Amino acid sequence: MIVGFLGYSASAAVYLLFSLLLLTTKQSGFQRQALSLAVFFTLLWALAAALQIWFALPLVFLYAVETLRNGLWFLLLYATIVPQFEFSQLLDGPWRKKGTLLGLLIIAFLQLGAGFSGFSLNLFWLVSQLAQAVIGLWLIEQLYRRIEPSARDTIKPMCLGLGAVFAFDFSLYANALITSGISFDFWSLRGFVAIVAAPLVLLSARRVKRWSTKIYVSRDVIYHSTLLLVAGAYLLVMSLVGYYIRYAGGDWGSMAQSGFFALSVLILVSLFLSERLRKRLKVQITKHFFANKYEYREEWMKFAAVLENQQGSPYSIALKAINQPFDCQFACLAVAENGRMVVKNTYNIRDDDPQALLCLELFGQQAIEHQWIVDIEELKQDSSALPFKVHTNSLNNINKFSYVIPMSTDAGFKGLILLSAPTAIHSVNWEDRDLMRAISRQLAVFLNLHRSNLALAESQQFDTFNRMSAYLVHDLKNVLAQLQLLSKNAIKHKHNPEFIEDAFETVDSAVNRLSKVVGHLSKKQRIDTVVAPFSLKPALQQVIKSRSIGLPTPQLEYHLDDGFELVCDQERFINVLSHLVQNAQDASEDNGSVILRASLFEQQCLIEIEDHGEGMSIEFIDTRLFKPFDTTKGNAGMGVGAYDAKRFVEELGGHIHVQSKLGEGSLFKLYLPIHKI
């Protein structure tokens, strides 16, 4: 009695909560109304059953409420089978539909009247309730068989839940007809079956389009609820078995019952602590009760296939990987370098697209800091949706891009991905955002690994360079030994004509060997660094003078005050510019032109080296220009000049930008900060 009362009372509480949730929704339609009525009458049924047990009322009262409850569930199932179903179609339809509805109403009124009058037709009531269970199972079978296979996952939870209710009713009333009476132990468990059915119906209520209540139920909630329900059912069964042992065992049964309960609790705890069981249960719930928008296994395989493709730069591969599921018309990938966002790859737009640069300026650092996917269209309507402030006045100038997706790793890698409105899907919901976030995190790791590999390769190259320097030092020692020997012998033989001739040959050999050493090192060994203010104009004039030995002769265009000063290592500054000017000369014809220009640009000192020589391709600039030890001059160069220039400028807090076209020449722009010590 107590078990049955508690079960029906708990069932009433669950369906009361279900009814309140339905009242908070705004969706309309006949299916939604039928769902609300069915849930409400299930609540009334559970209350009536609890009262029937507590006050020992006739069962026929409960039959009446149960018949009305079943009729409303039948109505919901049929409305789900038939698209665009309305109640008027039932009233104006064929007699087999109206007859079913009328028959259920008549039976309910007869049962209600029999309860008040005390008139008993026990066999008739049992047959009618058994028939209702059969009708319910038949409707569930029709619904599951007729619905499209692709949509079965959406309706499966409700079919399982209501199927359990009607199957239990069928077993109950079939057993009652055989034994000529209701089994009250069987009857007491119906409340728990109704509780199990509630969350399953709720899942379908969330997912079926025509009567979705838009109630969010996470996998974790269903997983833990299922585990608790299983635990509760397990303990209930163990309690009943323990009670039977005690009832059958007399005095000894009390000890056996205690031991049995201890064993039951031990088994239950072991089940909860079994990670393997918990994982299997979670997988089954996710697999059978949730219809995902994406087939994640397929999406992951496609994503991995894109990353495995080595055609193109890592940045182009990353942009293709995140654009693949959404098929956006425009896309852009930028990476944070030296405090600014640098565009690394684009899709269907230019690298200097104004809208892309505006997005990077508005959202760059803050979107990464807050790890927030920015919906630009949503932001235009309501700027309070962001956890940070932006200048909304500029948003109307952005119509190419709709989403800003941050990328970052704990290792310090930071970047942004810009996407236009997806064309592969109609609307973007939470699952699309989760997919964007998951892909962006994987891409951040992928790109950070690429940059780490580059840094490692550079380190290995410098190690090789250091080993090569050891051989050069050995050559220098040999030259030094030759000269020391020559100087020592000169004291005795300086008037000997043969010695003089041999001395000239030795000096000539030493000059050649030293020229090779100097040519390889190119003064890249810097032991002492002196940071101090110096006048810019004389330093530039020294560069021009030192490079006037080659053709074409460089020209200086100075657009600053004569007393303008920079703060850095003057010697290294001159070496860097001398190398860039030499590169410009090497790329130009003897009758060409090389210009060294100095001016101001937005509170920065702008140094430009311009030539009209061979020029460079965009691919060469992106992949080889600033790569150390990669040279196009063969044995004449070490390939560290441009790399050294870039590092020097960035160490000062500036940046370097290169514009070039094949056959038209190149323009190197060095942006240097203006500051004082």
Side-chain angles (χ1 to χ4, degrees), residues 373-394:
I373 296 180
V374 180
D375 186 335
I376 297 178
E377 297 302 322
E378 180 184 26
L379 190 59
K380 290 179 181 179
Q381 306 297 328
D382 182 14
S383 60
S384 63
L386 284 182
F388 52 85
K389 294 183 179 180
V390 296
H391 299 292
T392 56
N393 297 333
S394 304

Side-chain angles (χ1 to χ4, degrees), residues 487-508:
S487 176
K488 182 179 180 180
N489 292 333
I491 300 175
K492 297 180 179 180
H493 306 289
K494 61 183 179 181
H495 300 294
N496 188 341
E498 294 182 0
F499 173 78
I500 295 176
E501 182 179 355
D502 183 65
F504 277 113
E505 292 180 359
T506 302
V507 170
D508 187 53

Side-chain angles (χ1 to χ4, degrees), residues 62-108:
L62 187 59
Y63 290 159
V65 182
E66 184 177 318
T67 299
L68 294 175
R69 179 205 72 172
N70 291 342
L72 290 170
W73 284 120
F74 297 163
L75 197 59
L76 175 63
L77 290 170
Y78 185 77
T80 308
I81 295 173
V82 181
Q84 307 300 326
F85 181 82
E86 297 293 342
F87 188 73
S88 59
Q89 298 177 9
L90 184 63
L91 297 178
D92 299 334
W95 273 104
R96 58 186 174 84
K97 297 180 181 179
K98 293 185 286 188
T100 303
L101 176 62
L102 184 61
L104 289 173
L105 291 175
I106 292 175
I107 291 174

Side-chain angles (χ1 to χ4, degrees), residues 575-615:
N575 288 339
V576 165
L577 291 187
S578 297
H579 185 87
L580 294 179
V581 171
Q582 181 183 356
N583 285 348
Q585 290 175 308
D586 293 340
S588 304
E589 299 290 339
D590 290 348
N591 58 353
S593 65
V594 174
I595 300 174
L596 177 61
R597 187 181 298 113
S599 61
L600 283 180
F601 178 80
E602 296 183 354
Q603 304 302 315
Q604 290 180 302
C605 176
L606 174 60
I607 306 295
E608 297 175 287
I609 299 95
E610 183 178 8
D611 69 75
H612 298 87
E614 298 176 357

Side-chain angles (χ1 to χ4, degrees), residues 36 52 128-129 193 327-329 450 454 478 503 528 609 668:
S36 300
Q52 183 274 327
S128 67
Q129 300 308 113
V193 176
D327 193 21
C328 301
Q329 184 179 2
H450 163 70
L454 288 181
N478 291 336
D528 297 324
I609 299 95
F668 280 72

Side-chain angles (χ1 to χ4, degrees), residues 502-557:
D502 183 65
F504 277 113
E505 292 180 359
T506 302
V507 170
D508 187 53
S509 174
V511 168
N512 291 333
R513 297 184 69 175
L514 285 174
S515 296
K516 292 180 180 180
V517 171
V518 172
H520 283 296
L521 290 177
S522 299
K523 298 182 180 180
K524 298 306 173 186
Q525 282 187 317
R526 297 181 299 274
I527 300 175
D528 297 324
T529 299
V530 180
V531 177
F534 64 91
S535 296
L536 178 61
K537 188 174 183 179
L540 297 180
Q541 290 174 339
Q542 183 176 345
V543 173
I544 295 295
K545 181 178 180 182
S546 64
R547 294 311 313 158
S548 295
I549 59 175
L551 295 176
T553 303
Q555 304 295 319
L556 175 63
E557 294 183 5

